[in-house]
Each structure stands twice: as structure tokens, then as C-alpha cells.
Amino acid sequence: VIVIPGNSDLYPWVKSELGKAGAKRMKKLLTGDNIIAVTGGTTMAVLADRLKPVPNSKDLLFVPARGGLDEYVQNQANTIAAKMAEKMNSSYRMLYIPDQISDESYLTIMNEPSIKEVISLVKQSDIVIHGIGDAARMANRRNTSEADMKKIKDGKAVGEAFGFYFNEHGEIVHKVQTVGIQLENLGDVKDIIAIAGGTSKAKAIRAYMKSAPDNTILITDEAAATTLLKG
């Protein structure tokens, strides 16, 4: 666990420091021939801003860990993967599909050769960098249906990652059909960096970390860490 001073709920500079810490840790994990999968979100966008080229960075490949959400384009996983690659003089691939799709569309899309190729690269990632979401906020961002929203609320979900919604005990109470890395894929990933901060994210962090792989590096801030320690 890496803890940054401050509260990112209150001070934008703390979120910037979270991104800086994420960038620094990622660089330590690089071997020169890595596939790095990244999710979307404001913290990931800040991390991308903090990157600079390193020796052998031209051999890196950045890929989006999932499809796109209905949000600002600068916070999309595709955009962030491309920006990271640009900052490090590396390569990237795009995933031109929504994050959440119907079962029928999923079967069709996943048979498209170009999509299958990118998904294959995503699942070969040896570094995954992702955020941890508040369940209610992520459900709203996904324009979740009333029926699924009821499942999330009835299940008392507090956290979300990779389309999985967790209650305070770390149990999965709902999963959406998403394109990209699934929770079960993380077991094959060498290094995982989870970044989330602020008092408001404490419950989500605790819930997700109960199910997170043992090799997960959590980067958070003082406010979330203090709340977690209080139980």
C-alpha cells in the first residue's frame, strides 16, 4: 500500500499526487516489453499526464482495459491508453466498443476479428492499472436500468471494479456484461495497481480489496487510509 498525504475529495492536488505515485510505481514495474492495460477515470487521466519516456519505452504497448463509458472523452480508457503511449513514445491499440452491451450484441461483437485481436492483447497484459468506483456513481454513469439498479441497491453494493459490484463484505452482488478485462482474468496478471482516494471511496476500496488478487498494489490517500483503519 502506498499512501499519499491529504484528501482527494477536497483538494485536486491530492488526486494529482495519486496519479504521480501511480506513474512512478508503474515505471518501476516496466521490463521494456510490457502490455499495460488501463481503465478510464479522472485519476487515470492525471496519471497519464505525469508520464515521461524511459529507456526501452518504445517497446511498450498500452491498451484499454475495457470499452468506453458514456463520459467525457478525456476520461475514456481509449483516450488514456493513447495519451500514455504518446507520453512514453510507445504504441497503443483502441477498443471501439461500449463498455456495457447486451448479451446478443456481445456474442456478435466478440466474433469481429479486429475486436478479438485487441481483447486478446488486453488479456495478455502483464500490468493492469485501474480505479475503484463508488457503486452508486458507477451505476449512474452506466445509465443502469431500473431493474439492475434495484439489484445493486438491494445487494447493498458499495464498490465497483471491472463491471462487478461488491457489498461491504467483498461479495459480488451484481455484474454487468462488459467488454475487456474481467475479474477472473486478473489472476493471470503479473502486476496490478489499484488507485483510489478520498473519504468517500473508503467503503468501495475496502469492499474491492477483499476480493482483489494478492499482488495488487493499492495507491490511496491519507483520508481514505485513515477511514479504513478505523474500520
Side-chain angles (χ1 to χ4, degrees):
V1 179
I2 299 171
V3 181
I4 303 302
N7 184 347
S8 53
D9 282 343
L10 301 178
Y11 307 108
W13 65 265
V14 180
K15 183 168 284 190
S16 179
E17 289 300 305
L18 285 172
K20 181 179 178 180
K24 184 177 180 180
R25 187 62 187 180
M26 185 199 78
K27 287 182 179 180
K28 287 184 177 180
L29 300 174
L30 297 176
T31 60
D33 186 22
N34 303 95
I35 299 177
I36 302 126
V38 296
T39 63
T42 54
T43 305
M44 296 298 109
V46 171
L47 191 160
D49 284 331
R50 293 289 191 163
L51 292 177
K52 294 179 181 178
V54 295
N56 298 322
S57 62
K58 62 181 176 59
D59 297 321
L60 305 177
L61 175 64
F62 289 88
V63 293
R66 67 186 190 199
L69 289 172
D70 186 15
E71 58 187 357
Y72 295 114
V73 66
Q74 63 266 32
N75 295 333
Q76 296 273 2
N78 271 332
T79 306
I80 291 168
K83 189 171 186 178
M84 287 182 170
E86 179 185 0
K87 287 278 188 176
M88 300 194 73
N89 296 330
S90 307
S91 302
Y92 66 92
R93 297 295 301 272
M94 294 285 204
L95 196 56
Y96 292 111
I97 47 177
D99 178 58
Q100 182 176 347
I101 57 178
S102 67
D103 291 342
E104 295 79 8
S105 298
Y106 182 85
L107 293 173
T108 301
I109 289 174
M110 292 302 287
N111 283 321
E112 288 292 327
S114 59
I115 299 299
K116 287 174 72 174
E117 181 188 2
V118 178
I119 292 295
S120 175
L121 290 170
V122 171
K123 291 183 178 180
Q124 292 176 54
S125 302
D126 49 356
I127 299 174
V128 172
I129 309 173
H130 70 93
I132 300 170
D134 172 82
R137 290 179 187 174
M138 288 304 300
N140 287 327
R141 282 171 62 187
R142 283 194 168 100
N143 296 315
T144 303
S145 67
E146 287 187 17
D148 285 343
M149 188 68 83
K150 187 175 186 303
K151 290 180 186 177
I152 292 168
K153 289 181 178 179
D154 289 349
K156 298 181 180 180
V158 294
E160 184 275 346
F162 304 105
F164 292 80
Y165 289 81
F166 304 88
N167 64 18
E168 290 192 30
H169 303 293
E171 298 165 338
I172 298 169
V173 298
H174 180 63
K175 179 192 179 301
V176 298
Q177 183 71 274
T178 58
V179 176
I181 284 185
Q182 305 296 310
L183 199 60
E184 56 266 27
N185 300 139
L186 294 181
D188 299 323
V189 179
K190 183 180 177 183
D191 297 294
I192 303 165
I193 302 174
I195 309 177
T199 306
S200 64
K201 285 283 187 76
K203 285 186 177 180
I205 293 169
R206 180 186 290 114
Y208 171 73
M209 291 304 294
K210 288 182 178 180
S211 299
D214 292 341
N215 59 333
T216 299
I217 300 164
L218 173 64
I219 300 178
T220 190
D221 61 24
E222 183 181 5
T226 301
T227 304
L228 287 168
L229 288 171
K230 288 179 180 177

